Amino acid sequence: MNSVDLSVASAKVDDTERPLKVVGIGASAGGLAAFEAFFRSVPTDAESGMAFVLVQHLAPDHPSILSELIQRYTSMQVFEIQQDMPVRPNCVYVIPPNHELLYLDGRLTLHVRTRLHGGPQTIDIFFNSLARQLRDRAVGIVLSGSGSDGAIGLRAIRKAGGLTMVQTPATAQFHGMPHSAMETGEVDIDLPPDQMAAHLMSLTHQRSGKRWMSLAGAGIWSQDAYVAVMQLLRSQTGHDFSQYKLGTIRRRIERRMAVHQLDSLDAYAAYLRQTPGEVRNLYFDLPIGVTAFFRDPEAFQMLERSILPRLLAEKDPSSAVRIWSVGCSTGEEPYSIGMLVAEAMERLQQQRKVQIFATDLNSRAISVARAGVYPASIASELSLSRLSRFFTPEMGGSAYRVHKYLRDMMVFSEHDVIRDPPFSRLDLIVCRNLLIYFEGDLQKRLIPLFHYALKPGGTLFLGPSESVGENGELFSVLDRLAKLFRRREDSKSTRPSYTTATLLPTTRIEAAPHPGQEKRESPMKTSLRDIAEQALLRIAPASALVNAQGDIRYLHGRTGHFLEPAPGEAGVNNILKMAREGLRPALEAALRAAVSHQEVSPAPRVQIRTNGHFAIVNLTIRQVTSPGGDTPGDPLYLVVFEVSANAELNTVAAQVATSSELAGNVPGSGDELQELRRALRVRDEHLKSMSEALERSSEELRSSNEEMQAVNEELQSTNEELETSKEELQAVNEELTTVNTELQIKVTDLSRANNDMNNLLAGTGIGTLFVDHDLRILRFTPATSTIINLIPGDVGRPISHIASNLVGYDKLVPDVLAVLDTLENFELDVQTSQQRWYTMRIQPYRTLDYVIEGAVITFVDITEVRQAQEALRKVIGLSHMARMLRDSDAAVVIEDIEGRTQAWNEAARRLYGWDESEALLLPAHARIPVALRDDHENRISALRNGKAAIPWLTQRLRKDAKVQEVWVTATALRDGRNRLRGVALMEQPVSPIETASKPLP
């Protein structure tokens, strides 16, 4: 292996690389849980310098609360995107419903979706804009979701040099989107959402002060490690990248090292040994896939104006146009060539077969090219006429599919131009911007390969920085600026003997020889073999190489004695149709036997009519195998015509006549000859009729096959429509899933708030009743049930239908209506039948938007307050009465309903002689003479019954047993309920004059 100077390359470090700016995160169904896990893992004190933009499939007609939910999980500011909102670092931006999003010049631009079900392309549109604007400063992340949205966008970001990440499908609630993204092969790393933020932060810190994909320091890019990486690639993929330019290889390897956070090539080589899947990821990362439709338009215009018209004009109309696009990447270049060829044939009014062989080293890129589906951004690369003619819109206009007419021209295949044999007999080779990635020695060996593959006069189309170099004798310059070259025929090296060994590396990584591998023959022996083969070809009998259906693939020698063109429209030459008279039956039988039994099928002594006479031919058909012993996919058969020693005979009639002459006068010989001729005619007619019947059957089968193809295309179209309907339903399902998730969270929040409010209202003990404008009950607290007879089933009933326990109050409905009419609060103290007092307040029910939606009736229990007020009144009354008793000149005695003395003032002590303590222990009737006790009892009973009492003259006994004449005034004492509590007696002594003038009653 040649030594490679790696020290200089390692020392060149670009410190001007800017940090990551925007992280686009796409999700659909199940994305909310992934968002939560992602943002919960972002450190609260992190200053990443990144902005996070969330693009989720949202229902277009349902408001989103996604920004509110995300704010719970992160300390960064969260915004719902508005038109032309500038993007700032360390912030989160959330797409609003029914919009598509673009990143343009540092701002987020919104576009209203005009499609009913456009969800599956929303993420791709945003990711594509990130790739175009930010390139290597873009990060694309695809999280949980069904469908395939985001896969095309990730491919664009990775091609632009950005970072792509995908949620590990096993951790996703819906793994459709992550799985589709990983199938593209454009994913740098897959992780669970809770580990992605840490990985991004580490990459940000790694980029601080230096280019994020460069390695700083000495000795971290060693030659031995580089050799190990190249050997691992060659042994596991079969492709050799050692002849690629070192700078190209180095940048791609460093990118993979940055993804896995490895700081030396030795560590990466060890990682490759431990992780076989990383070898394949590096292999897919090495080919440079920069391409576009009609890239370098001026060169394609020269190809369109000068090369293709000449090629089609000089080309035999019956032969196919063969073009080879080398390093086609994802197919934009060969499709561009195909469009130019189709337009040129239309201008020249030609219809011919076109074969464009499009090859590339990257199988994933070939898969994309075969699919022929490209994002809507290709509209900027194509004219409107070409876009409408050669493409069909798909997925609501977010992607375009190549038309079948153009797709049928293409033959896509995985091909290593260094290792694999080239195509041959080509009219045009397009190899643009591929040689610039190869070192000079390999470029010098590829140019003769292209010369070998081209037909005489064929054209080589190179990139703007490429040329034929030292192989100028092989090509003449057609247009130096457009890099168009024409194959020369006067070169000594025309049509070289080509072998792939000429391209294999000689000074690079050498693979160990396979055990038992034979050495190659020397050039001298190879030349002698070629001489012998050419001599044998000259004396070999006439033969034809055909397939199982008899279609001629190759003719050797002079076959005109046995075959002649069939009349009618020229098409594929078939040996059965071209067989001369007498040959077809034997040829058809022998070919059928060779195809069925896979063995040599001879047909000796076949009589063939040629130019008026017959020839006897020995016919042999055998299957042809490849030099390695393998039968190709379409088996071929060699038909050999060997003319017998007695090659030419006279006509049958001459033969019969000669036989007759030799026979002399044999009786009946003339009749036998006629019979023989008749039998031959019958046989020929029978064979002809059988052949026509077979041809008719073949035509019918061909017609049936065409009908089946038409039916198949219709079924395929129906299947595509069903697929479209499925995608639309899937999009609706994703939107409903997202809405359902948000609603579930909202229901949980509302349930928690409702529980809190119920516990709060129940804990206060305040009865609360909510009614609407029609006075229908909306809800109530448990305390309300003791005031108004309510049960849970009464919700929705008018309040006028419900009986209340209020005493003396029946104007609840009018008072509520008055509050709703005047919007003024109403307050009143009411009493229930359980003798409980409440302060009833009625006020309007106002929403947060100050909209009146009913009334709120509250009942605050004030029973204890009322009782305290009553007690206070009693205390105040007793105090006042006590002062009156104390200061009165008349004797005042208060008795309860049982006749016990409750109060006794100072005037009573002076009048009767008992102290207050003595009087309170004395029964009331003890102070009344026995004869007057019934009269006293009758008067008190009348007072109890509500009759007014008038003062009367009576007698009382004193402590000294004397009788005291007194005037008595009785007053009934009642409580707040008008119940008799006692009797107050005011007794005044009678003067001697009154006693003499007024006798006792």
Side-chain angles (χ1 to χ4, degrees):
M1 173 177 178
N2 291 350
S3 62
V4 181
D5 186 8
L6 300 168
S7 60
V8 177
S10 301
K12 296 178 180 179
V13 178
D14 187 1
D15 296 334
T16 62
E17 189 73 17
R18 290 174 290 178
L20 282 174
K21 182 66 176 179
V22 178
V23 180
I25 308 178
S28 183
L32 192 57
F35 286 150
E36 178 181 357
F38 179 88
F39 284 105
R40 284 191 186 277
S41 62
V42 177
T44 56
D45 58 346
E47 292 291 334
S48 64
M50 294 181 286
F52 301 89
V53 182
L54 274 56
V55 183
Q56 188 177 26
H57 295 169
L58 301 171
D61 54 352
H62 190 280
S64 174
I65 59 171
L66 183 59
S67 56
E68 302 173 13
L69 300 177
I70 297 299
Q71 187 65 78
R72 301 179 183 181
Y73 315 138
T74 179
S75 59
M76 294 184 288
Q77 287 185 290
V78 181
F79 303 96
E80 184 169 274
I81 299 173
Q82 298 178 0
Q83 183 70 335
D84 292 332
M85 177 176 281
V87 178
R88 297 182 300 170
N90 305 312
C91 294
V92 181
Y93 301 89
V94 180
I95 188 173
N98 198 31
H99 283 83
E100 292 171 351
L101 182 63
L102 294 174
Y103 180 86
L104 297 173
D105 300 327
R107 294 179 176 270
L108 297 173
T109 303
L110 295 172
H111 297 278
V112 177
R113 286 195 306 185
T114 57
R115 298 173 297 276
L116 181 60
H117 304 301
Q121 77 279 3
T122 309
I123 302 171
D124 284 330
I125 291 174
F126 178 66
F127 281 3
N128 278 313
S129 69
L130 282 185
R132 288 193 300 269
Q133 293 280 313
L134 298 178
R135 303 194 66 77
D136 61 341
R137 292 183 295 127
V139 177
I141 300 178
V142 171
L143 300 178
S144 173
S146 56
S148 60
D149 194 10
I152 297 176
L154 285 186
R155 182 185 298 120
I157 289 177
R158 195 159 187 262
K159 280 187 177 181
L163 182 68
T164 57
M165 303 177 72
V166 166
Q167 179 178 0
T168 304
T171 66
Q173 188 174 352
F174 294 84
H175 57 77
M177 283 171 49
H179 186 69
S180 297
M182 295 185 69
E183 282 186 338
T184 64
E186 304 294 342
V187 176
D188 288 317
I189 193 167
D190 62 290
L191 287 172
D194 56 354
Q195 299 179 22
M196 288 180 174
H199 195 83
L200 282 175
M201 296 301 171
S202 65
L203 288 179
T204 303
H205 297 155
Q206 185 179 1
R207 297 178 186 189
S208 178
K210 58 185 178 180
R211 182 178 178 180
W212 78 289
M213 288 185 185
S214 293
L215 306 173
I220 59 176
W221 186 277
S222 66
Q223 180 176 342
D224 292 340
Y226 177 74
V227 172
V229 172
M230 292 295 102
Q231 288 176 340
L232 285 170
L233 279 171
R234 184 171 182 177
S235 62
Q236 295 192 29
T237 66
H239 298 286
D240 181 17
F241 291 92
S242 62
Q243 296 189 87
Y244 281 58
K245 288 183 178 178
L246 178 61
T248 300
I249 297 296
R250 181 177 177 275
R251 285 191 296 271
R252 311 309 283 182
I253 293 178
E254 288 175 355
R255 187 180 191 281
R256 297 304 304 175
M257 292 172 62
V259 167
H260 296 290
Q261 304 177 30
L262 300 173
D263 56 0
S264 71
L265 191 60
D266 289 314
Y268 185 64
Y271 182 77
L272 285 176
R273 296 187 189 98
Q274 299 168 3
T275 314
E278 177 61 20
V279 176
R280 190 161 183 82
N281 290 335
L282 176 61
Y283 160 66
F284 284 120
D285 224 16
L286 287 176
I288 310 299
V290 180
T291 183
F293 286 98
F294 297 100
R295 191 182 179 196
D296 193 3
E298 293 79 8
F300 276 92
Q301 288 176 5
M302 181 60 65
L303 182 69
E304 179 183 11
R305 291 195 302 264
S306 302
I307 304 303
L308 293 179
R310 177 183 60 80
L311 188 155
L312 294 173
E314 297 176 356
K315 188 76 175 175
D316 184 0
S318 62
S319 60
V321 176
R322 293 167 59 86
I323 301 173
W324 182 16
S325 174
V326 188
C328 69
S329 187
T330 50
E332 286 88 338
E333 182 179 86
Y335 283 126
S336 301
I337 300 293
M339 285 184 264
L340 294 181
V341 173
E343 292 170 350
M345 288 193 301
E346 183 180 3
R347 287 192 296 270
L348 297 174
Q349 296 182 353
Q350 292 184 1
Q351 283 296 330
R352 64 174 72 231
K353 184 177 181 181
V354 179
Q355 290 179 319
I356 301 178
F357 304 98
T359 64
D360 196 271
L361 188 66
N362 192 333
S363 60
R364 290 174 176 171
I366 290 295
S367 298
V368 175
R370 283 198 184 103
V373 178
Y374 297 94
S377 57
I378 65 171
S380 61
E381 304 168 4
L382 296 166
S383 65
L384 185 60
S385 60
R386 283 173 176 164
L387 193 65
S388 60
R389 176 181 177 183
F390 297 108
F391 294 86
T392 304
E394 286 202 349
M395 296 168 60
S398 68
Y400 289 93
R401 181 181 293 275
V402 177
H403 197 276
K404 186 177 184 298
Y405 166 72
L406 183 59
R407 176 65 185 82
D408 288 342
M409 296 182 184
M410 306 296 157
V411 179
F412 291 103
S413 64
E414 183 180 354
H415 182 276
D416 188 348
V417 71
I418 301 175
R419 182 191 65 181
D420 299 328
F423 295 88
S424 61
R425 303 187 62 79
L426 298 168
D427 299 295
L428 172 65
I429 294 179
V430 181
C431 180
R432 309 189 72 249
N433 302 315
L434 176 64
L435 300 180
I436 59 176
Y437 299 110
F438 298 151
E439 291 192 350
D441 292 342
L442 179 58
Q443 293 183 20
K444 295 176 183 178
R445 292 198 297 273
L446 282 176
I447 297 301
L449 178 145
F450 294 152
H451 182 272
Y452 170 84
L454 284 170
K455 283 182 176 181
T459 304
L460 176 63
F461 186 18
L462 297 179
S465 301
E466 300 166 336
S467 67
V468 295
E470 299 178 359
N471 296 291
E473 74 279 1
L474 300 180
F475 293 92
S476 61
V477 179
L478 293 176
D479 190 296
R480 190 172 302 278
L481 185 61
K483 301 296 181 180
L484 289 165
F485 305 90
R486 186 169 186 174
R487 184 184 187 275
R488 284 182 175 177
E489 292 305 312
D490 56 348
S491 172
K492 296 180 180 179
S493 58
T494 300
R495 307 297 294 175
S497 178
Y498 168 76
T499 61
T500 56
T502 60
L503 293 178
L504 294 178
T506 58
T507 59
R508 288 287 175 174
I509 301 170
E510 298 295 341
H514 191 277
Q517 182 179 2
E518 296 181 357
K519 295 183 178 180
R520 300 180 182 274
E521 295 182 355
S522 65
M524 180 61 69
K525 291 183 180 180
T526 303
S527 299
L528 292 176
R529 183 183 64 187
D530 291 342
I531 294 173
E533 289 177 352
Q534 295 295 330
L536 289 173
L537 288 175
R538 293 190 187 97
I539 64 174
S543 57
L545 190 65
V546 300
N547 61 9
Q549 290 76 37
D551 297 332
I552 298 174
R553 293 289 185 259
Y554 184 79
L555 293 174
H556 171 73
R558 302 182 64 181
T559 58
H561 293 293
F562 319 106
L563 305 175
E564 64 179 353
E569 184 178 351
V572 178
N573 293 326
N574 188 280
I575 195 170
L576 298 179
K577 293 183 178 180
M578 296 177 63
R580 287 184 177 270
E581 182 180 350
L583 175 62
R584 178 166 182 170
L587 179 61
E588 187 173 5
L591 180 61
R592 188 183 306 111
V595 173
S596 302
H597 304 295
Q598 302 295 321
E599 60 184 14
V600 178
S601 177
R605 301 190 62 80
V606 179
Q607 292 185 4
I608 306 175
R609 186 181 183 89
T610 58
N611 301 324
H613 63 274
F614 282 86
I616 298 178
V617 176
N618 295 324
L619 180 65
T620 306
I621 301 179
R622 69 177 70 236
Q623 184 173 347
V624 179
T625 58
S626 65
D630 298 329
T631 301
D634 185 10
L636 298 179
Y637 300 87
L638 184 65
V639 182
V640 180
F641 304 98
E642 291 181 315
V643 180
S644 176
N646 298 325
E648 295 183 356
L649 300 177
N650 294 326
T651 62
V652 174
Q655 292 177 350
V656 174
T658 303
S659 301
S660 299
E661 292 174 0
L662 295 174
N665 296 323
V666 179
S669 59
D671 295 337
E672 291 177 358
L673 179 60
Q674 293 298 329
E675 182 64 25
L676 179 59
R677 289 176 176 174
R678 187 185 63 79
L680 288 175
R681 284 196 301 271
V682 171
R683 178 187 172 209
D684 289 342
E685 291 175 359
H686 174 70
L687 290 175
K688 186 177 180 179
S689 63
M690 291 293 294
S691 176
E692 292 175 353
L694 286 174
E695 289 180 0
R696 285 195 300 270
S697 299
S698 178
E699 291 293 334
E700 292 174 358
L701 288 174
R702 188 178 296 109
S703 177
S704 300
N705 183 48
E706 292 175 355
E707 292 177 0
M708 292 300 295
Q709 287 181 348
V711 172
N712 182 54
E713 291 179 357
E714 293 178 359
L715 291 175
Q716 186 174 0
S717 176
T718 303
N719 184 54
E720 292 175 355
E721 293 176 358
L722 291 175
E723 285 290 337
T724 303
S725 300
K726 177 185 176 182
E727 291 176 356
E728 293 179 353
L729 291 175
Q730 192 175 29
V732 173
N733 182 54
E734 291 173 358
E735 294 170 357
L736 292 177
T737 301
T738 302
V739 172
N740 183 52
T741 303
E742 293 184 356
L743 290 179
Q744 285 179 349
I745 295 176
K746 195 71 173 177
V747 167
T748 302
D749 294 342
L750 290 176
S751 177
R752 185 180 298 110
N754 187 48
N755 292 334
D756 293 343
M757 186 178 70
N758 286 338
N759 282 277
L760 174 64
L761 294 177
T764 60
I766 298 175
T768 307
L769 176 64
F770 299 90
V771 296
D772 59 14
H773 284 289
D774 297 327
L775 304 188
R776 297 182 181 274
I777 298 172
L778 299 177
R779 63 184 302 165
F780 58 89
T781 60
T784 313
S785 301
T786 61
I787 305 168
I788 301 176
N789 298 324
L790 292 174
I791 59 175
D794 290 331
V795 174
R797 294 180 59 189
I799 193 173
S800 59
H801 294 180
I802 310 300
S804 69
N805 296 325
L806 300 177
V807 176
Y809 178 75
D810 57 359
K811 298 195 300 178
L812 180 60
V813 172
D815 288 342
V816 173
L817 292 175
V819 169
L820 293 176
D821 185 37
T822 62
L823 302 181
E824 294 181 357
N825 297 347
F826 176 80
E827 184 173 327
L828 178 68
D829 290 348
V830 293
Q831 185 182 25
T832 65
S833 58
Q834 290 82 19
Q835 305 301 318
R836 305 288 297 179
W837 284 88
Y838 295 89
T839 295
M840 180 184 70
R841 291 190 182 92
I842 307 174
Q843 56 189 12
Y845 180 94
R846 290 183 174 89
T847 66
L848 295 177
D849 299 327
Y850 293 96
V851 176
I852 305 300
E853 292 189 354
V856 182
I857 307 169
T858 58
F859 296 90
V860 181
D861 192 344
I862 59 170
T863 301
E864 295 181 358
V865 176
R866 295 284 294 207
Q867 290 176 351
Q869 291 175 349
E870 184 66 24
L872 181 60
R873 282 195 299 270
K874 289 181 180 180
V875 170
I876 293 174
L878 291 175
S879 176
H880 182 66
M881 185 178 295
R883 286 196 300 271
M884 291 178 60
L885 290 174
R886 185 177 64 252
D887 299 337
S888 176
D889 293 335
V892 178
V893 179
I894 297 177
E895 300 176 355
D896 60 14
I897 58 175
E898 301 297 334
R900 292 185 296 268
T901 303
Q902 299 295 321
W904 184 271
N905 67 349
E906 182 63 23
R909 184 192 65 78
R910 291 194 302 269
L911 180 60
Y912 297 115
W914 283 291
D915 292 334
E916 182 178 8
S917 59
E918 295 174 336
L920 294 177
L921 298 175
L922 222 88
H925 62 272
R927 298 185 304 104
I928 302 173
V930 176
L932 297 176
R933 288 178 180 175
D934 292 337
D935 178 63
H936 179 78
E937 185 64 31
N938 292 334
R939 291 179 182 274
I940 295 301
S941 298
L943 191 64
R944 289 193 189 101
N945 295 329
K947 294 182 179 181
I950 59 175
W952 74 93
L953 182 64
T954 186
Q955 294 178 344
R956 290 290 186 265
L957 295 177
R958 290 168 50 91
K959 183 178 180 180
D960 56 5
K962 292 182 180 180
V963 176
Q964 176 67 45
E965 296 286 341
V966 293
W967 284 97
V968 179
T969 303
T971 303
L973 299 177
R974 300 183 182 275
D975 58 13
R977 299 180 183 179
N978 202 30
R979 292 179 298 182
L980 187 66
R981 300 289 300 275
V983 178
L985 300 174
M986 182 177 293
E987 300 176 355
Q988 292 179 334
V990 179
S991 63
I993 299 176
E994 290 178 328
T995 303
S997 61
K998 293 183 180 179
L1000 292 172

